[in-house]
Amino acid sequence: MYSPNFYRRCQCKGPLTDKNGNPVLNDDGTPKIGDIGLTCPKLGRKGHGTWYFALELERGENGKRRRPKRGGFATRTEAEEAAEKFYKELVAGTDVLSTETMSDYLRRWIESKKKLARTTRHGYQEHIDNYLLPHLGHIKRRDLQVRHLDAMYNTIERENAERILHHLRVEELTRARDAAHQAWVRTAGKKEERRRTRRAYLDANAALREGRKGLRKVTSAATMHRINDTLSSAITWGMKREDAFRKNWARLVELPAVTRPKPLVWTPERVEHWKRTGEKPGPVMVWTPEQTGAFLDFVRDDWLYDLWHSFIFLGPRRGEMCALPLHEVNLADLSLRISAQIVEVAYRLYGEAPKADSVRTLNLSEESAEVLGQGRARREKARKEWSAAEAWVESDRFFTHENGEPLHPDWVSRRFKRLVELSGLPPVRLHDLRHISASLSLLQGNDIKVVQERLGHSSRQITSDTYTSVLPELARREAESMTSVIPRSVSYDVLRPLTLPPKLFSDGMAVVYADATRSREGVWTVSVKARHDGRSLGRIKTAAASQESATLAVIQWVRDHCNEAGLRILSADKITAHLPELGKRRHLARFVIDGEAAMGLESLARDLLEASEQGQEPSDEAA
């Protein structure tokens, strides 16, 4: 029954009395001083003390009395509202009497999660140890409010500002150390000056070591969201299992927005900027098909060439490749099954089964099967050589070191980074090869569903949002498809009429090419040839505003000629979308022309002429 008791008390101190009103004395006979609470004579004054409420509940275990009290309210009205809210939560089943702290609760929660993947548990534990316990651990679970979470994230942002300043100081000390080292190196042969510069370098290096002490990583907005997700999961568990919380306070927190880094392609302009400044345009970079081919050519003789080839053309995760068993590679059937993975936690390796969506079979091309077969032959040869020296390590893995030891995922990443540095190509991460693999597949017109299944994602949305960057070729194709929808007429002047000699037609078809040069004034001169290095069969000029317009002009010119000659264009393909340099020739288009139509017209005209001379009706075949 809801029957709260309201009263007012203060923190005033004075002589204490017992239940009978007699003074309480110290050992020396003097009055004992303490909180007089409810007996303070000033409680009758307005504004003195604060209001409390107490509720008498049903007795608990072993008949223990339960009489919760709450106080600190400025007015009786506030105390009444708080008492009513307290009672409603109690009736709803919320454990409002618990004295458990958030520290105890979070530890109890993580211990109860028996089915978590190892990496997920490690991430949760880091969030608990590094953020939730230091900021929320002392708070009683029943008292947790959204304001406590806001205070935690505000503190994290203040610490971030200090860490950023610390990082800037370390960068400054690093530059000073490097400059001192260069000065020391340049003084070779100068004894006194070399001694002085060496001392300056040692001092700068010591200052850098001292400055690095206590350096901590900045907590990004994405990390804050993951911390909040961990807390939200813990609160949801408590709400479902034991009504431990009235609300999921983590869902009411406002955090900085997270911007997913958009993959950028290493275009010539970005490569030039990187060579000049050493700066990457973005955290996630993707090679073009030409750059990818250059990397494969560079690592052709590397021990793990088949591994790098597989990363690019199959798009697996590094843990999946490091754990790939020998028996899961079937080169005869051109297939490879992903059924295991290695996860790394604090550089220690653990074997785990992949998620259900990640267990998949990858189809191999003839080239991939050949490359994997060559790699297996190399390792089999090394196996015999190392076994002879009793140094072979049996791991049952498809990809291994030269002595058979299994690969560590972090080592694979470092090895890839070093190979990229040696190749002189712009930098990409090992994981960025998944972006490259997805983008190259889309460039060939494959459906994103096929790419999703090959990468092992649970939905095509994840594939689209995360791993598909827009290569210049894809963007160009999309732009051209937009402009080609609307038919346009581009004016041109014929410098030399187009002629297609009969000897060009082989089996009734001819193939011709359109080449173009562009002047400083923006005038395009286009020639049609049977071969790229052959003589011109016709030439036009046009003041087209763009290469697209120049291509449309030559297509219109060739189409007009074919219509007049009774020919038919079977296909007109654009060869390139690169803008030609001034004065240099560039291939624009390729035409396949059907000559059978013209031959049929000549035959029909001949039959009609003969029939008219003889005064006969033309035959049905001629008609």
Side-chain angles (χ1 to χ4, degrees), residues 124-237:
Y124 282 173
Q125 194 65 57
E126 280 192 337
H127 296 159
I128 292 173
D129 295 338
N130 298 335
Y131 299 97
L132 299 179
L133 293 188
H135 295 283
L136 305 177
H138 63 286
I139 300 172
K140 290 184 179 180
R141 171 171 56 80
R142 72 186 186 199
D143 296 333
L144 184 68
Q145 298 287 331
V146 70
R147 58 185 174 86
H148 297 120
L149 277 60
D150 289 335
M152 176 179 69
Y153 293 117
N154 290 337
T155 302
I156 291 175
E157 290 184 341
R158 286 195 300 270
E159 292 175 349
N160 276 344
E162 297 174 359
R163 293 177 185 180
I164 291 173
L165 292 176
H166 194 175
H167 279 272
L168 293 176
R169 287 197 297 270
V170 169
E171 290 179 6
E172 184 178 351
L173 291 172
T174 302
R175 288 193 295 269
R177 189 276 311 271
D178 293 342
H181 183 266
Q182 293 176 5
W184 177 34
V185 171
R186 284 195 297 266
T187 57
K190 304 174 184 178
K191 188 173 182 180
E192 292 299 327
E193 187 176 357
R194 185 168 177 78
R195 183 181 295 112
R196 178 177 54 79
T197 54
R198 180 177 183 275
R199 182 70 264 168
Y201 164 68
L202 293 176
D203 292 341
N205 200 36
L208 177 59
R209 286 198 304 269
E210 185 65 26
R212 282 176 173 168
K213 291 181 179 179
L215 184 65
R216 295 188 61 184
K217 187 170 65 174
V218 175
T219 304
S220 65
T223 301
M224 282 193 247
H225 279 266
R226 288 193 291 270
I227 295 168
N228 203 61
D229 290 341
T230 299
L231 181 60
S232 177
S233 178
I235 293 178
T236 299
W237 179 83

Side-chain angles (χ1 to χ4, degrees), residues 307-318:
L307 178 62
W308 313 129
H309 189 280
S310 299
F311 277 129
I312 290 172
F313 288 99
L314 301 180
R317 301 174 178 89
R318 64 176 190 175

Side-chain angles (χ1 to χ4, degrees), residues 265-279 281 285 287-288 291 424-426:
V265 180
W266 277 114
T267 60
E269 296 79 10
R270 289 170 179 154
V271 173
E272 181 62 29
H273 175 78
W274 165 72
K275 289 181 177 179
R276 188 174 63 254
T277 64
E279 297 177 355
M285 300 302 298
W287 282 331
T288 62
Q291 293 162 345
L425 291 166

Side-chain angles (χ1 to χ4, degrees), residues 530-581:
R531 299 191 310 272
H532 292 307
D533 56 350
R535 68 180 184 85
S536 173
L537 302 175
R539 185 180 294 112
I540 64 170
K541 71 174 182 178
T542 177
S546 64
Q547 181 171 316
E548 173 73 17
S549 298
T551 306
L552 291 176
V554 70
I555 292 175
Q556 181 178 329
W557 174 44
V558 175
R559 181 184 294 117
D560 292 343
H561 171 78
C562 290
N563 289 338
E564 293 175 1
L567 304 174
R568 182 174 53 151
I569 298 177
L570 296 179
S571 67
D573 302 322
K574 298 174 185 177
I575 295 179
T576 182
H578 295 291
L579 192 65
E581 298 180 16

